[in-house]
């Protein structure tokens, strides 16, 4: 898959995820939707944020670094977009249960930071 095809596919999937999130917000009553409504909401939110943050991360890297091969940014941008989306969704989940505290989200961010360092070090050893 070429970089252009990847970016177009990711942009289309992200637009679809945002559309799905809008449909969920407008059509599903959170008090009547039950667990299914909440799962669909958080899934649509996570996918739309992950796609958007991945694309933003890719274009920011391509613009700031100006490397000849921007395809190298794809995996890092996608992975970090997922991490940031997980932080937001996890924060919303904690807040919905009235469990959101700074140490809860801090520990989750610390865990994801260690996970990111693992992926970065694994990639460097592999090269």
């Amino acid at each position: 898959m070429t970089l252009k095809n990847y970016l177009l596919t990711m942009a289309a999937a992200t637009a679809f995820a945002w559309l799905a999130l809008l449909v969920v917000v407008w059509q599903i009553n959170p008090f009547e939707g039950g667990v299914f409504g909440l799962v669909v909401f958080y899934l649509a939110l996570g996918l739309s944020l992950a796609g958007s943050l991945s694309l933003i991360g890719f274009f920011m890297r391509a613009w700031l670094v100006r490397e000849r091969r921007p395809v190298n940014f794809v995996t890092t941008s996608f992975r970090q977009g997922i991490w940031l989306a997980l932080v937001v969704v996890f924060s919303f989940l904690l807040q919905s249960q009235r469990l959101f505290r700074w140490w809860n989200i801090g520990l989750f961010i610390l865990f994801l930071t260690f996970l990111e360092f693992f992926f970065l070090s694994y990639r460097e050893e592999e090269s």
Side-chain angles (χ1 to χ4, degrees):
M1 177 181 272
T2 65
L3 179 61
K4 183 179 177 180
N5 286 344
Y6 168 77
L7 291 174
L8 288 173
T9 304
M10 181 64 102
T14 301
F16 180 74
W18 280 110
L19 183 63
L21 180 64
L22 288 175
V23 168
V24 168
V25 167
W26 284 334
Q27 297 297 322
I28 296 179
N29 184 349
F31 299 109
E32 295 174 5
V35 175
F36 176 74
L38 291 175
V39 168
V40 171
F41 171 75
Y42 286 120
L43 186 64
L45 177 66
L47 290 174
S48 58
L49 283 175
S52 297
L53 293 170
S54 297
L55 288 172
I56 290 169
F58 173 80
F59 287 118
M60 290 295 290
R61 282 180 176 83
W63 179 63
L64 291 174
V65 176
R66 297 195 195 280
E67 187 176 305
R68 287 186 178 192
R69 298 194 50 182
V71 73
N72 298 335
F73 303 138
V74 168
T75 55
T76 304
S77 297
F78 185 65
R79 186 177 62 242
Q80 291 176 354
I82 290 173
W83 297 152
L84 290 172
L86 281 174
V87 168
V88 172
V89 170
F90 187 64
S91 298
F92 283 177
L93 277 169
L94 287 175
Q95 181 60 30
S96 72
Q97 300 300 313
R98 304 283 188 237
L99 296 173
F100 185 83
R101 303 288 185 268
W102 68 268
W103 58 83
N104 288 340
I105 201 65
L107 286 173
F108 188 64
I109 291 171
L110 187 64
F111 169 73
L112 291 178
T113 302
F114 285 133
L115 200 57
E116 178 64 18
F117 283 140
F118 170 75
F119 279 113
L120 290 174
S121 67
Y122 180 74
R123 183 175 174 202
E124 288 176 6
E125 290 175 5
E126 189 178 89
S127 300

